[in-house]
Amino acid sequence: MTRSYRSQVLYVNLSDESSKVESLPEDIFFYLLGGKGLGIYLLAHQPPKIDPFSRENQLIFVTGPLTGTIAPTAGRFGVVTKSPATNGFLDSYCGGFLGPEIKRAGYDAIIFQGKAESPVVVNINNDNIEFLKGDTWISKSPAQCDKMGKEKFGPRARVASIGIAGEKLGNFAGIFSDQRCAGRGGAGAVMGSKNLKAMIIQGTLPVEIYNPEQFRKDAWIARRYIRSSELTVRALPEEGTCNIVDIANISGILPTRNFQTSVFNEADKINGSAWRTNYWKNQIACFGCPIGCSKISYSKRTPTIIIDGPDYETVFALGSNVGNANQDIIIEANALCDEYGIDTISTGNVIGFVMELVQRGLATSSDFDGIPIKWGEPNTILELIKKIGTQEGCGELLAQGVAQITKKFPRSEIFAMHVKGLEIPGYEPRATKGMGLNYAISDRGACHLHSYCVSVEIFSNKGGMDPFLTDDRKVRLVYDCQAESNLIDSMILCMFAFFGMRMKEAFQMLSSATGLFKDEDDEMVLQSIADRIVTMTRLFNLREGWTLEDDTLPPRFLNEPLPSGPAMGQTLGKAELESMKKEYFKLMGWDEKGAPLKKTIEKLKINQF
Amino acid sequence: MTRSYRSQVLYVNLSDESSKVESLPEDIFFYLLGGKGLGIYLLAHQPPKIDPFSRENQLIFVTGPLTGTIAPTAGRFGVVTKSPATNGFLDSYCGGFLGPEIKRAGYDAIIFQGKAESPVVVNINNDNIEFLKGDTWISKSPAQCDKMGKEKFGPRARVASIGIAGEKLGNFAGIFSDQRCAGRGGAGAVMGSKNLKAMIIQGTLPVEIYNPEQFRKDAWIARRYIRSSELTVRALPEEGTCNIVDIANISGILPTRNFQTSVFNEADKINGSAWRTNYWKNQIACFGCPIGCSKISYSKRTPTIIIDGPDYETVFALGSNVGNANQDIIIEANALCDEYGIDTISTGNVIGFVMELVQRGLATSSDFDGIPIKWGEPNTILELIKKIGTQEGCGELLAQGVAQITKKFPRSEIFAMHVKGLEIPGYEPRATKGMGLNYAISDRGACHLHSYCVSVEIFSNKGGMDPFLTDDRKVRLVYDCQAESNLIDSMILCMFAFFGMRMKEAFQMLSSATGLFKDEDDEMVLQSIADRIVTMTRLFNLREGWTLEDDTLPPRFLNEPLPSGPAMGQTLGKAELESMKKEYFKLMGWDEKGAPLKKTIEKLKINQF
């Protein structure tokens, strides 16, 4: 019986330019689905405590059992590796059109191992693996790589590539494809460390389905749910993710000036309607997506600068967080990040941190090659990004992220906004405390996507939960949202689809696509898959050296009351956080230090594979 | 210190054409807010077990402490009386512009007592109360009354009136104002029983505010929340309440053919987009409303027929519930209901019931004056409405509602869709079981607004709750939503505002408008106000003769599994319902038979007033 997964992994060894295909146990897809689940399974097989930039670290491209099917938003792929930013597990996902090509080429995952002597581009066409010299590709931007790949291998070829920042091992360099990006945690640096400039892929094999007739029905139902929710029919199509700028600001969760406050006086200059009215020229959608949250904008100041974006995270990071309400500058800053191939969230955090260093007199412009450092100043923002991207001058340090920069500036730790080396996304945790717990315990550092509970704490139109609550109900919410996120990233679908469809519809699609699941007990089966993936990732991170003490938040969140807005006076104090962690560990079946209990490992059958 | 309530009630005695003003204890507003809370306080003072059409029954127009202020959606008023449909408490609310005039005339409430010898129209202008002969007004539609009132008393005069159905004491006649309607439970019949054809009102007094500066800020914040939610910025403005037709149908909660099923094959012909695209010519908003859910439509078949609507309830009742997907016919049916002055929900239920009577062979067309009775047939729908409105022929019986009609047709009880005499709104409780509990325990019969938990069970974009759940969590949800609804109806605001703002913003406005509340413990204060109002209403209904056995659902919901759709096979069985009721009574502090415990009455200080 054909099924929507292939049980096949392509191993590409860059050291000797060899490749091989290996089969996966079928169990994997029942127990871990694919995507993140498959990724942690594969990553756990590499030796412990290796340097993320060593030959032993694997760069794993993963798909899920729904990738490339007609399931809505089934065009994404994931990248899994050990992160140079956190020294722990990293998964990062990217939309566009490349995911389905991996599946059509015959694979559930592609693993790059070893390291090429000199820059290389790997072209994959079904079982034909070609190693090309990368010399002419070096220093090219991801957009240029996309174009070169298509020119050389035809319009259906899809390209995943890195920019200069990845080549130079910047800690927050991403992997780009179709102008989109697996941005967080430095997967692009790992790719750069392997001298792999780009992967090009296309496939011609069909994506099989277990029960095609039922699956068509199930996918249609999921799509109808998406077509019936305000967020997915109107808000995201019309205003992209920037539809939340207003409500974030009203609710006091919009990080401003390196998280010094969470209300930005000029939010209405960068809200959804400001973008829709003044800048957005076009809407684009990823493979199989009925939503289309992506917008095309260009700078009015410099009309040749055109980007896919900006999204909410970029608007916060390169807008409010650096005191900037100039839309042209947000677009130009975003364009520079895309050109060099760096994550906008971490970039905006680094710039905000530099600005606060100077504000507090801990550094001066001379520490940054003479660039004038001032909140909201266009040149500060744009010039610092150039430094970070190219690692010239002060950029060598800045490109390593906030955690590393603190080492040069004593007493700066108290406003260094990162968890375990990953910078903070655009949700102030003192005003949405579920997100605080989430940042503290997420398996890739300060990640908003590990448990997107802010959607219930702040953005829910009904049935929300008080954002200041920190009791067991809130922990349960974080736990439930964590399950949802981990399942979505393992299927792999887009989180936004789940503002319309529910897990129930996803389960039906999984069931008819794979033939692995029965109708009954869907919730229990899915919950245990989520628990399994999160626990396996926890075990990996503990093995790599993470400790209970790392599960914390920047001192600012713990100690500094918010100075204004509806959450004025709020912190997320140490005691509150510890009590939430304790309850969370209990729900997970982990001990008081956050180590999974033996009986939990047994119950989740983690030792079986 | 001036405050946003006046502590003044105008009593109008229709028997002797006298009037007087009485002061209310200030406590009332602290303990009961206004609106429904004020209504139950005033109604409880009338003698027990009276006939709703007797002189002793009071017809009470109520406002709330926010009515007429700049609080968003503060233009509504309520009508409270003893219902001829249920023989119990009735509250029904109406948008438009009349509510603020009651306040400006100097009153929190206006109570009509006694009965006029012949039809009368009462004109109220501050403390000037005028009794006009109603002869020339008789048989006029509410829209004509609106016009006549404005012609006679100027454009600022607001009119509340009844149509023929109210004059003839039809059990589901409503009270109309500005083309809107306090529709449910027969308040129009009570008005008719008093020979009161219309109340006309305008006032010139200011609506005072305790702390104007703070209140302006608070109202602005509430308004900003409303301007930041998808439902209130886009869905309701663009598609009105019909924005939920699609999701209701997809979720299997759209009552179809007298609740025989909950999936309507032609739902896409009557969904939000079908109305927006084909019919809606204009959008209107009530006093102080930033949403504007109201639409103006006209029939393409008969372009002279123009209505304010249709809303979701009408589209379900005169559409799917009678097997009709013809938009022209829905509009024309709605127009007839408005002309005669009857509730569209009960009307659609009666027609659906008649159609099923004939479908099952329990009646024939000869029982209905020879009108051919057929699902979806335009003439069936329109002719039956004319009968109901005018009470000619079979209309005399039909106008009394489903509960009364069953008495003529043996064995029809099993598909008679009402609770305690009030027909069922557009949410199938077998597929949204919180609504099932709500219908069973609501204090005015099958009311969706008593606890609009479907907004969490079905319409929530995040943080929803499984609609099939019937455990303690679900009961708690019903209880929480009941608190919200009772507070909203006591302030009085519009439920739709709360798809954007939260109770927190409302409390702030209450606080600065009245000066009665402190910042701390808002949740606890509000919860106890809600419990107090619900418990006082329960006590009233028990006094009037309601029993535990009345807290149930039509046999169809209890015994007949849904035949199709995502809720196929579901019932809301007796055992499930009883267990939910038990838990609900516990939360309310009532005994096992649903009678409020002495300690609850004491705790809520109900004996104090």
Side-chain angles (χ1 to χ4, degrees):
Chain A
M1 188 69 84
T2 49
R3 281 163 166 160
S4 66
Y5 53 91
R6 301 186 170 278
S7 295
Q8 292 217 125
V9 174
L10 172 67
Y11 286 86
V12 179
N13 190 326
L14 294 162
S15 299
D16 62 5
E17 300 202 345
S18 68
S19 69
K20 63 178 174 180
V21 175
E22 285 194 4
S23 287
L24 285 164
E26 288 233 342
D27 278 9
I28 295 300
F29 298 91
F30 178 70
Y31 287 117
L32 297 166
L33 293 184
K36 180 178 181 182
L38 177 57
I40 181 57
Y41 166 79
L42 294 166
L43 196 72
H45 283 81
Q46 71 188 28
K49 294 197 166 59
I50 52 172
D51 180 340
F53 294 148
S54 70
R55 290 164 192 269
E56 288 78 19
N57 193 16
Q58 304 178 105
L59 178 67
I60 309 174
F61 288 80
V62 286
T63 66
L66 296 177
T67 308
T69 70
I70 57 166
T73 76
R76 296 167 73 76
F77 68 95
V79 183
V80 172
T81 190
K82 183 173 173 183
S83 162
T86 70
N87 255 305
F89 177 83
L90 172 64
D91 60 331
S92 191
Y93 304 85
C94 182
F97 297 81
L98 183 138
E101 295 302 324
I102 300 179
K103 208 67 162 293
R104 289 197 197 110
Y107 313 109
D108 295 306
I110 298 174
I111 303 185
F112 290 94
Q113 300 178 312
K115 175 182 175 168
E117 286 303 309
S118 56
V120 69
V121 169
V122 174
N123 178 47
I124 300 169
N125 196 325
N126 293 359
D127 52 4
N128 183 31
I129 320 298
E130 191 181 0
F131 296 83
L132 309 166
K133 281 211 172 305
D135 307 19
T136 58
W137 296 62
I138 282 301
S139 303
K140 295 286 189 289
S141 73
Q144 287 169 314
C145 291
D146 264 10
K147 203 162 156 245
M148 290 165 74
K150 281 184 194 300
E151 277 168 7
K152 198 164 168 67
F153 298 102
R156 277 205 50 218
R158 297 293 167 178
V159 181
S161 65
I162 55 174
I164 296 179
E167 296 169 21
K168 298 203 170 182
L169 315 191
N171 254 350
F172 46 92
I175 297 178
F176 286 67
S177 185
D178 290 313
Q179 273 74 259
R180 304 190 68 80
C181 172
R184 306 232 67 200
V190 174
M191 191 157 162
S193 76
K194 297 191 172 310
N195 261 324
L196 177 62
K197 175 68 179 173
M199 171 182 80
I200 299 159
I201 187 161
Q202 55 190 310
T204 55
L205 305 175
V207 177
E208 305 281 1
I209 293 291
Y210 177 73
N211 183 342
E213 197 183 339
Q214 183 60 41
F215 183 70
R216 266 195 302 276
K217 283 184 202 162
D218 294 336
W220 181 83
I221 289 170
R223 206 166 277 264
R224 286 221 51 190
Y225 269 96
I226 295 172
R227 295 303 302 166
S228 298
S229 156
E230 287 315 303
L231 277 174
T232 44
V233 168
R234 292 195 175 83
L236 285 166
E238 290 185 3
E239 301 195 344
T241 53
C242 290
N243 80 81
I244 64 172
V245 170
D246 264 342
I247 188 85
N249 193 52
I250 291 167
S251 308
I253 65 162
L254 182 63
T256 299
R257 290 183 207 87
N258 197 39
F259 292 81
Q260 292 187 75
T261 177
S262 61
V263 178
F264 186 47
N265 288 339
E266 299 177 280
D268 58 352
K269 295 185 185 161
I270 57 171
N271 68 9
S273 126
W275 290 106
R276 178 160 72 141
T277 312
N278 302 327
Y279 280 90
W280 285 340
K281 298 302 161 199
N282 221 335
Q283 178 185 7
I284 56 175
C286 299
F287 176 94
C289 175
I291 305 170
C293 71
S294 247
K295 311 293 162 222
I296 301 297
S297 320
Y298 63 81
S299 165
K300 292 184 179 171
R301 193 177 83 147
T302 323
T304 50
I305 296 178
I306 300 169
I307 60 163
D308 175 343
D311 65 352
Y312 170 74
E313 293 298 335
T314 301
V315 166
F316 125 76
L318 301 170
S320 59
N321 198 52
V322 296
N324 168 37
N326 181 325
Q327 291 178 285
D328 278 343
I329 301 308
I330 291 175
I331 290 173
E332 295 183 23
N334 190 343
L336 284 175
C337 290
D338 290 351
E339 184 181 332
Y340 300 123
I342 47 178
D343 176 36
T344 54
I345 299 178
S346 289
T347 302
N349 268 270
V350 165
I351 297 171
F353 183 60
V354 165
M355 288 172 165
E356 188 166 356
L357 277 173
V358 174
Q359 169 191 321
R360 288 173 172 257
L362 299 185
T364 65
S365 138
S366 65
D367 292 300
F368 306 105
D369 307 337
I371 298 171
I373 307 292
K374 207 180 137 196
W375 290 111
E377 171 61 35
N379 281 338
T380 310
I381 299 165
L382 301 175
E383 293 307 316
L384 285 177
I385 295 177
K386 288 176 194 164
K387 296 284 180 183
I388 294 167
T390 59
Q391 293 196 26
E392 284 164 11
C394 67
E396 196 181 341
L397 175 63
L398 298 185
Q400 303 320 315
V402 168
Q404 300 303 316
I405 304 170
T406 57
K407 294 182 180 163
K408 188 179 160 188
F409 299 98
R411 303 193 314 283
S412 66
E413 297 80 5
I414 55 166
F415 56 92
M417 307 313 293
H418 70 92
V419 174
K420 302 185 181 85
L422 192 71
E423 290 78 9
I424 319 272
Y427 311 89
E428 167 58 59
R430 285 167 285 187
T432 163
K433 297 187 176 182
M435 290 304 273
L437 174 61
N438 174 38
Y439 292 158
I441 52 87
S442 152
D443 45 33
R444 66 172 194 181
C447 166
H448 56 303
L449 300 168
H450 182 73
S451 169
Y452 195 67
C453 57
V454 67
S455 65
V456 177
E457 290 183 287
I458 301 286
F459 304 126
S460 171
N461 57 3
K462 273 290 156 182
M465 192 183 287
D466 183 344
F468 299 157
L469 262 189
T470 55
D471 67 3
D472 291 0
R473 279 173 297 170
K474 182 57 68 67
V475 179
R476 176 83 207 186
L477 173 70
V478 174
Y479 172 79
D480 288 343
C481 292
Q482 170 187 280
E484 182 176 90
S485 293
N486 276 272
L487 292 169
I488 293 171
D489 287 343
S490 296
M491 293 176 183
I492 303 172
L493 295 179
C494 173
M495 189 180 74
F496 300 157
F498 287 78
F499 294 136
M501 61 184 277
R502 290 105 34 109
M503 201 43 75
K504 187 171 173 170
E505 285 71 55
F507 181 81
Q508 292 301 329
M509 290 193 293
L510 273 179
S511 184
S512 49
T514 65
L516 289 175
F517 304 99
K518 303 265 183 302
D519 271 356
E520 60 261 27
D521 291 336
D522 51 348
E523 261 185 72
M524 278 175 57
V525 167
L526 290 176
Q527 184 64 58
S528 68
I529 292 173
D531 282 350
R532 186 175 297 121
I533 293 168
V534 175
T535 300
M536 285 174 71
T537 312
R538 181 74 178 183
L539 288 167
F540 178 88
N541 280 333
L542 293 174
R543 188 189 86 173
E544 299 302 307
W546 285 20
T547 69
L548 180 65
E549 285 64 44
D550 297 321
D551 295 332
T552 190
L553 292 171
R556 167 158 284 163
F557 297 150
L558 299 172
N559 307 323
E560 266 185 54
L562 275 169
S564 58
M568 189 165 69
Q570 293 285 336
T571 61
L572 177 50
K574 189 86 184 156
E576 262 181 311
L577 179 62
E578 290 305 320
S579 138
M580 288 171 92
K581 277 167 59 182
K582 200 172 156 187
E583 175 66 17
Y584 169 78
F585 292 156
K586 216 165 77 186
L587 285 177
M588 288 304 304
W590 300 352
D591 71 15
E592 295 222 330
K593 288 187 176 297
L597 292 166
K598 207 173 152 193
K599 68 175 181 188
T600 304
I601 294 172
E602 274 164 18
K603 195 185 79 185
L604 296 173
K605 299 191 170 67
I606 289 175
N607 286 335
Q608 292 187 11
F609 32 81
Chain B
M1 187 68 84
T2 48
R3 284 164 166 161
S4 66
Y5 53 91
R6 300 188 169 277
S7 295
Q8 293 217 127
V9 176
L10 171 66
Y11 286 85
V12 179
N13 190 327
L14 294 163
S15 299
D16 62 6
E17 299 201 346
S18 68
S19 68
K20 62 177 176 181
V21 175
E22 286 194 2
S23 286
L24 285 164
E26 287 232 343
D27 279 9
I28 295 300
F29 299 90
F30 177 70
Y31 286 117
L32 296 166
L33 295 183
K36 180 179 180 181
L38 177 56
I40 179 60
Y41 166 79
L42 293 167
L43 197 70
H45 283 80
Q46 70 189 27
K49 293 197 169 60
I50 52 172
D51 181 341
F53 294 148
S54 69
R55 289 164 192 269
E56 287 78 19
N57 193 17
Q58 302 179 107
L59 179 66
I60 309 173
F61 287 79
V62 287
T63 66
L66 296 176
T67 306
T69 70
I70 59 164
T73 76
R76 297 167 71 76
F77 67 95
V79 182
V80 172
T81 191
K82 182 172 174 185
S83 164
T86 70
N87 255 306
F89 176 83
L90 172 64
D91 60 331
S92 191
Y93 303 86
C94 183
F97 296 82
L98 183 139
E101 294 305 322
I102 300 178
K103 208 68 161 290
R104 289 197 198 110
Y107 312 109
D108 295 307
I110 299 175
I111 303 184
F112 290 96
Q113 300 177 313
K115 176 180 175 169
E117 287 301 310
S118 54
V120 70
V121 169
V122 173
N123 178 48
I124 301 169
N125 196 327
N126 294 355
D127 52 4
N128 183 30
I129 320 297
E130 189 181 2
F131 297 81
L132 309 167
K133 280 211 174 306
D135 307 20
T136 57
W137 296 62
I138 281 302
S139 302
K140 295 285 189 290
S141 73
Q144 287 169 315
C145 291
D146 264 11
K147 205 163 154 242
M148 288 164 74
K150 281 182 194 304
E151 277 169 7
K152 197 163 171 64
F153 298 102
R156 276 205 51 219
R158 297 294 167 176
V159 181
S161 65
I162 55 173
I164 296 180
E167 297 169 22
K168 298 204 169 182
L169 315 191
N171 254 351
F172 46 93
I175 297 177
F176 286 67
S177 185
D178 290 313
Q179 274 72 260
R180 305 189 68 79
C181 171
R184 305 233 69 201
V190 173
M191 191 156 162
S193 77
K194 299 194 172 310
N195 262 325
L196 177 62
K197 175 67 178 173
M199 171 181 82
I200 300 160
I201 187 160
Q202 54 190 312
T204 55
L205 306 175
V207 177
E208 306 281 1
I209 293 290
Y210 176 73
N211 184 341
E213 197 183 340
Q214 184 60 40
F215 183 69
R216 266 195 302 277
K217 282 185 203 160
D218 294 335
W220 181 82
I221 290 170
R223 208 166 276 265
R224 285 220 52 190
Y225 270 95
I226 294 172
R227 294 305 301 167
S228 296
S229 156
E230 287 314 304
L231 277 174
T232 43
V233 169
R234 292 196 175 84
L236 285 167
E238 290 185 3
E239 301 196 345
T241 53
C242 290
N243 80 82
I244 63 171
V245 171
D246 263 344
I247 190 83
N249 193 51
I250 291 167
S251 307
I253 65 161
L254 182 63
T256 299
R257 290 182 206 87
N258 197 39
F259 291 81
Q260 291 187 75
T261 178
S262 61
V263 178
F264 186 46
N265 289 338
E266 299 177 280
D268 57 352
K269 295 185 184 162
I270 56 172
N271 68 10
S273 128
W275 290 107
R276 178 159 71 141
T277 313
N278 303 327
Y279 281 89
W280 285 341
K281 298 304 163 199
N282 222 334
Q283 179 185 4
I284 55 175
C286 299
F287 176 94
C289 175
I291 305 170
C293 71
S294 248
K295 310 297 162 217
I296 302 296
S297 321
Y298 64 79
S299 165
K300 293 185 178 171
R301 195 177 81 148
T302 321
T304 50
I305 297 177
I306 299 170
I307 60 163
D308 175 343
D311 66 351
Y312 170 74
E313 294 297 336
T314 302
V315 165
F316 125 76
L318 301 170
S320 59
N321 198 52
V322 295
N324 170 37
N326 182 326
Q327 291 177 284
D328 279 342
I329 302 307
I330 291 174
I331 291 173
E332 295 184 21
N334 191 342
L336 283 175
C337 290
D338 289 352
E339 184 182 333
Y340 300 123
I342 46 177
D343 176 36
T344 55
I345 299 178
S346 289
T347 303
N349 268 270
V350 166
I351 298 172
F353 183 60
V354 165
M355 288 172 165
E356 190 167 354
L357 276 173
V358 173
Q359 171 192 319
R360 288 174 172 255
L362 299 185
T364 66
S365 138
S366 65
D367 291 301
F368 305 104
D369 307 337
I371 298 170
I373 306 293
K374 208 179 135 193
W375 290 111
E377 171 61 34
N379 281 338
T380 310
I381 300 166
L382 301 176
E383 293 306 316
L384 285 177
I385 296 177
K386 288 177 193 164
K387 296 285 180 182
I388 294 168
T390 58
Q391 295 197 27
E392 284 164 10
C394 66
E396 194 181 341
L397 175 63
L398 299 185
Q400 303 320 315
V402 168
Q404 299 304 318
I405 304 172
T406 55
K407 294 184 180 162
K408 188 179 160 188
F409 299 98
R411 303 194 315 282
S412 67
E413 297 81 4
I414 55 167
F415 56 92
M417 307 313 294
H418 71 92
V419 174
K420 302 184 179 86
L422 191 71
E423 289 78 9
I424 320 272
Y427 310 91
E428 167 59 58
R430 285 167 287 186
T432 165
K433 296 187 177 182
M435 291 303 274
L437 174 61
N438 173 37
Y439 292 158
I441 52 88
S442 152
D443 45 33
R444 66 171 193 180
C447 167
H448 56 303
L449 300 168
H450 181 74
S451 168
Y452 196 66
C453 58
V454 67
S455 65
V456 177
E457 291 184 286
I458 301 286
F459 304 127
S460 171
N461 57 3
K462 272 289 154 183
M465 193 183 287
D466 183 344
F468 300 157
L469 263 188
T470 55
D471 67 5
D472 290 0
R473 278 174 296 170
K474 181 57 68 70
V475 178
R476 178 83 206 185
L477 173 70
V478 173
Y479 173 79
D480 288 343
C481 292
Q482 170 188 279
E484 182 177 89
S485 293
N486 276 272
L487 293 168
I488 293 171
D489 287 342
S490 297
M491 293 176 182
I492 303 172
L493 295 179
C494 173
M495 189 179 75
F496 300 157
F498 288 77
F499 294 136
M501 61 184 277
R502 290 106 31 109
M503 201 44 75
K504 187 173 173 169
E505 285 71 55
F507 182 80
Q508 292 302 329
M509 291 193 293
L510 273 180
S511 185
S512 49
T514 65
L516 290 175
F517 304 99
K518 303 263 182 305
D519 270 357
E520 60 260 26
D521 292 335
D522 52 349
E523 260 184 73
M524 276 175 55
V525 168
L526 291 176
Q527 184 64 59
S528 68
I529 292 174
D531 283 350
R532 184 174 300 118
I533 294 168
V534 176
T535 299
M536 285 174 71
T537 311
R538 181 75 178 181
L539 288 167
F540 178 87
N541 281 332
L542 292 174
R543 186 188 88 171
E544 300 301 306
W546 285 20
T547 68
L548 180 65
E549 285 65 44
D550 296 322
D551 294 332
T552 189
L553 292 172
R556 165 159 284 163
F557 296 150
L558 300 172
N559 306 322
E560 266 186 52
L562 276 169
S564 59
M568 190 166 70
Q570 294 285 337
T571 60
L572 177 48
K574 188 87 184 157
E576 262 181 311
L577 179 62
E578 290 305 320
S579 137
M580 289 171 91
K581 276 167 59 181
K582 199 172 157 187
E583 175 67 17
Y584 169 78
F585 292 156
K586 216 165 78 188
L587 286 176
M588 288 304 304
W590 300 352
D591 71 14
E592 296 222 331
K593 288 187 178 296
L597 291 166
K598 206 173 154 193
K599 67 174 182 190
T600 304
I601 293 171
E602 274 164 19
K603 195 185 78 186
L604 296 173
K605 302 191 168 71
I606 289 176
N607 285 336
Q608 293 188 10
F609 34 80

